[in-house]
Amino acid sequence: MIIGCTWAFAIGRYGGPDEPAHVLRAAAVAHDDLLGKPVEGLEPGYRQVTVPAPLGSGDPSCFRHNETITAACAVPATGTGTKAVATSAGTVPPWYYAVVGSIARVLSADSSVLGYRMASVVLCAIILGYAVARSRRFGASAWLIAALTPSAWFLIGVVGTSGVEIALVVVALVEAVGRFHESLDEPLSRVTVPLATCLLLRPAAVIDVVVVALVVAPTVTRPITRRTLTMLAAPFAIVAAASVAWNRWTGFVFDDRRTADTRTAATTVGRSLSRIPLMVHQAIGALGWNEFFAPVIAQLIWVATLAFAAWWVFTRSPDRWWHVRWAIAALALPAIVDVIIHRQVGSIWQGRYSITFAIGGVLY
């Protein structure tokens, strides 16, 4: 909680990736505006909502990608009143935003970006606190803290679904790793429920299923019984049904003409593979809108931690090649996803989408 608060106070206003859209969405949902109105001339995902005027003022783009301009240039309006604005998160499932927006509103801080940040930090801290408590039973709490990359700590301090996604996947990973130390009679629902909840909040987080599956697969007894299969599939079936219902109600369209790519699949694969070093760098240390990075020493400490974890597994685990499979999956999946979606929304993979893979690489 203290670390999250430190980041929340230190980061410039709207300094997190897509943070303006997330804050506006949370403010609207907290005031019972779940869907807003379509905006003429903008993509279907954009919706017009009415929010407290200070939230819809102070252009955050004035300091992005410019090291000579501070965030002080984004001056919010003062006073009460409301303002109609557009948010690109207009059709995103509202569950995360309902929690964050409601907390900010109850605290009478719903006109301040910091109020929403604090609400999000509280939510993430509760989830991560539970993960730390669960990891203590097999002595892995220190590893859990070390597994979080600098960029993960940053995202926990701003408003957005990435922070809570990281927290929920950490819970699933801790429960999966715990199965190596305890009886395999431990219910698989401890792993699948937080992971399914993550997908409910952010359906695009499919890669999280892969990283958790890599960890939990060695602990699943063979042959797989009907009971085991039910525990594995039931939470995801419920989430899938809820997501389909939401998308049908909102008329969700997975398309963005601004970023759609008409290049061939082979070209897309080549581009994705060429960006692997950048994606790795972003997953470890990216801050802001990917224009700033954590100090080199902080990144090197995390890389050394991962290297030690990989060495430990290779020399002491019967599954010594696990990190090889992990690395192949972590590097190949972004290219696969880009190929599947590039004609609809372009090659949009960013390093922060792979942070949970990085965390899993240490915790295993």
Side-chain angles (χ1 to χ4, degrees), residues 233-280:
F236 299 106
I238 295 171
V239 166
S243 298
V244 168
W246 170 259
N247 290 338
R248 294 196 63 173
W249 183 67
T250 61
F252 177 75
V253 177
F254 188 67
D255 188 24
D256 193 331
R257 292 166 296 177
R258 301 168 306 161
T259 55
D261 190 350
T262 58
R263 290 178 293 186
T264 65
T267 302
T268 300
V269 170
R271 180 176 181 273
S272 294
L273 295 179
S274 69
R275 297 177 73 235
I276 284 176
L278 175 62
M279 296 298 101
V280 173

Side-chain angles (χ1 to χ4, degrees), residues 41-122:
L42 295 180
E43 298 302 317
Y46 281 82
R47 294 300 171 100
Q48 178 181 304
V49 295
T50 301
V51 300
L55 297 180
S57 61
D59 179 16
S61 64
C62 65
F63 64 90
R64 287 181 207 156
H65 306 289
N66 191 329
E67 295 182 0
T68 65
I69 300 177
T70 72
C73 65
V75 181
T78 58
T80 56
T82 59
K83 184 177 182 179
V85 293
T87 170
S88 59
T91 57
V92 176
W95 326 120
Y96 163 80
Y97 303 101
V99 175
V100 170
S102 297
I103 294 175
R105 189 175 181 184
V106 167
L107 296 176
S108 299
D110 60 341
S111 62
S112 166
V113 174
L114 185 59
Y116 292 91
R117 281 186 181 173
M118 298 307 297
S120 185
V121 167
V122 168

Side-chain angles (χ1 to χ4, degrees), residues 177-228:
V177 171
R179 291 174 58 83
F180 288 95
H181 301 268
E182 300 173 343
S183 168
L184 294 183
D185 291 334
E186 188 84 6
L188 275 168
S189 58
R190 289 186 177 276
V191 178
T192 56
V193 168
L195 186 58
T197 303
C198 175
L199 290 173
L200 180 66
L201 301 182
R202 187 173 175 271
V206 179
I207 195 170
D208 299 331
V209 177
V210 178
V211 65
V212 176
L214 283 172
V215 176
V216 80
T219 73
V220 178
T221 55
R222 296 343 187 245
I224 299 178
T225 64
R226 181 177 298 180
R227 179 174 177 270
T228 300

Side-chain angles (χ1 to χ4, degrees), residues 3-4 7 11 17 121 124 128 144-158 160-167 170 281-288 294 302 351-360:
I3 296 174
W7 278 104
I11 300 166
V121 167
C124 291
L128 284 174
L144 170 55
I145 300 302
L148 292 169
T149 68
S151 55
W153 289 113
F154 166 82
L155 290 170
I156 289 167
V158 297
T161 51
S162 293
V164 73
E165 173 191 348
I166 290 168
V170 164
H281 193 195
Q282 290 179 348
I284 296 172
L287 311 178
W302 186 87
R352 72 176 185 270
Y353 305 149
S354 297
I355 288 176
T356 52
F357 249 106
I359 295 171

Side-chain angles (χ1 to χ4, degrees), residues 128-140 171 174-175 178 182 186 190:
L128 284 174
Y130 174 79
V132 170
R134 291 289 295 171
S135 65
R136 282 176 179 159
R137 71 192 193 277
F138 52 88
V171 172
V174 165
E175 296 297 346
E182 300 173 343
E186 188 84 6
R190 289 186 177 276

